[in-house]
């Protein structure tokens, strides 16, 4: 099973601040994803990234969000100006050659 | 954990019994289905998947059944163990790569 790490494990930020969440897939993969899970709710798709560009995105992924793979290894999710409702667990996922999606341990974002 | 407060259906079983967790999906165009297990404070963990050209797939202690006629998916866990206690989500792929998750079922295994 491919290994995915995420940093930080917990991020506390004030409303209006920018945050960057990082994902480090251990092996080379083609597709990268960000999902979020608001406390008490189900996992929701945010965005997928393929060949260094966004492949698809949900309606949640508005102009406040951006993704990039700055150094060909890390995969980042940036929230430009956080809102209280951005508080959630954010999961990075990757697909292996079989198409199976594997999730990282998540970053808990708390916006105060 | 992430699912505290979520009004999840709960399945409570005795250790050693078999568990069956059900999921209904809505998109008849979905062609790939996955079951994930999520323990408190962790990310979803891949359990087993099935493609729409199959109606049954078996793994180690787990079996997934797909009924496309009624758009129903089930996960069977044999000889359930306390370590199986978690929230289980089904997810579907509608031909895009993004997964659509169901709302989850909490499995509680009584020792």
């Amino acid at each position: 099973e491919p290994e995915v790490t995420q940093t930080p494990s917990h991020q506390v930020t004030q409303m209006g601040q920018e945050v960057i969440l990082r994902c480090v897939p251990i092996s080379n993969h083609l597709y990268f994803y960000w999902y979020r899970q608001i406390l008490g709710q189900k996992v929701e798709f945010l965005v997928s990234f393929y060949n260094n560009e966004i492949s698809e995105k949900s309606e949640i992924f508005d102009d406040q969000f951006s993704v990039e793979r700055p150094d060909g290894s890390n995969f980042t999710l940036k929230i430009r100006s956080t809102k209280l409702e951005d508080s959630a667990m954010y999961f990075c996922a990757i697909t292996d050659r079989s198409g199976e999606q594997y999730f990282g341990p998540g970053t808990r974002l708390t916006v105060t | 954990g992430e699912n505290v407060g979520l009004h999840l259906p709960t399945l409570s079983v005795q250790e050693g019994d078999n568990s069956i967790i059900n999921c209904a999906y809505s998109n008849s165009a979905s062609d790939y289905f996955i079951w994930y297990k999520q323990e408190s404070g962790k990310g979803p963990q891949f359990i087993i998947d099935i493609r729409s050209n199959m109606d049954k797939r078996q793994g180690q202690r787990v079996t997934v059944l797909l009924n496309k006629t009624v758009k129903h998916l089930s996960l069977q866990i044999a000889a359930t163990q306390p370590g199986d206690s978690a929230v289980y989500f089904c997810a579907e792929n509608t031909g895009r790569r993004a997964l659509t998750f169901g709302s989850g079922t909490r499995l509680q295994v009584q020792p």
Side-chain angles (χ1 to χ4, degrees):
Chain A
E1 182 175 315
E3 195 174 332
V4 180
T5 62
Q6 290 184 241
T7 58
S9 58
H10 190 190
Q11 174 85 50
V12 182
T13 190
Q14 290 190 323
M15 193 168 53
Q17 296 297 304
E18 174 184 284
V19 294
I20 298 176
L21 311 181
R22 290 182 172 79
C23 173
V24 184
I26 300 303
S27 304
N28 287 327
H29 297 282
L30 292 175
Y31 275 88
F32 304 86
Y33 311 80
W34 283 103
Y35 291 81
R36 79 171 184 190
Q37 186 177 32
I38 295 172
L39 183 64
Q41 299 185 24
K42 60 185 178 182
V43 178
E44 301 173 290
F45 168 73
L46 292 177
V47 65
S48 63
F49 193 79
Y50 171 72
N51 204 24
N52 292 322
E53 60 183 29
I54 290 176
S55 176
E56 59 181 323
K57 59 184 180 179
S58 71
E59 60 274 10
I60 303 170
F61 194 87
D62 60 22
D63 292 343
Q64 294 286 74
F65 293 89
S66 62
V67 290
E68 63 177 4
R69 210 172 167 212
D71 56 9
S73 176
N74 291 340
F75 178 50
T76 63
L77 174 70
K78 181 189 292 184
I79 307 175
R80 188 153 48 90
S81 178
T82 50
K83 304 185 288 287
L84 294 176
E85 54 266 36
D86 292 327
S87 295
M89 285 290 292
Y90 287 82
F91 295 107
C92 171
I94 55 91
T95 51
D96 67 2
R97 293 181 186 278
S98 68
E100 297 171 3
Q101 281 195 33
Y102 295 94
F103 285 73
T107 292
R108 180 180 297 280
L109 176 65
T110 302
V111 182
T112 62
Chain B
E2 293 74 35
N3 297 301
V4 172
L6 179 62
H7 191 66
L8 292 168
T10 299
L11 175 65
S12 187
V13 300
Q14 291 292 316
E15 182 178 358
D17 287 352
N18 296 333
S19 303
I20 300 177
I21 300 171
N22 297 301
C23 176
Y25 64 94
S26 57
N27 192 338
S28 55
S30 293
D31 58 5
Y32 178 57
F33 305 88
I34 313 98
W35 280 101
Y36 285 93
K37 172 186 179 183
Q38 188 176 30
E39 297 173 286
S40 182
K42 297 183 179 180
Q45 178 187 355
F46 177 94
I47 301 174
I48 191 168
D49 61 357
I50 188 168
R51 298 201 178 270
S52 59
N53 60 351
M54 303 171 69
D55 53 22
K56 180 179 180 179
R57 190 165 187 224
Q58 288 185 293
Q60 189 177 16
R61 274 202 314 119
V62 294
T63 300
V64 56
L65 299 177
L66 174 63
N67 185 330
K68 294 183 289 293
T69 302
V70 295
K71 292 186 284 190
H72 184 266
L73 194 67
S74 69
L75 176 70
Q76 301 177 359
I77 305 174
T80 315
Q81 303 167 359
D84 295 327
S85 294
V87 177
Y88 289 81
F89 292 96
C90 66
E92 62 185 291
N93 184 310
T94 61
R96 307 184 313 170
R97 298 263 178 179
L99 292 174
T100 300
F101 279 78
S103 53
T105 297
R106 187 183 307 280
L107 176 65
Q108 294 179 339
V109 182
Q110 309 296 329

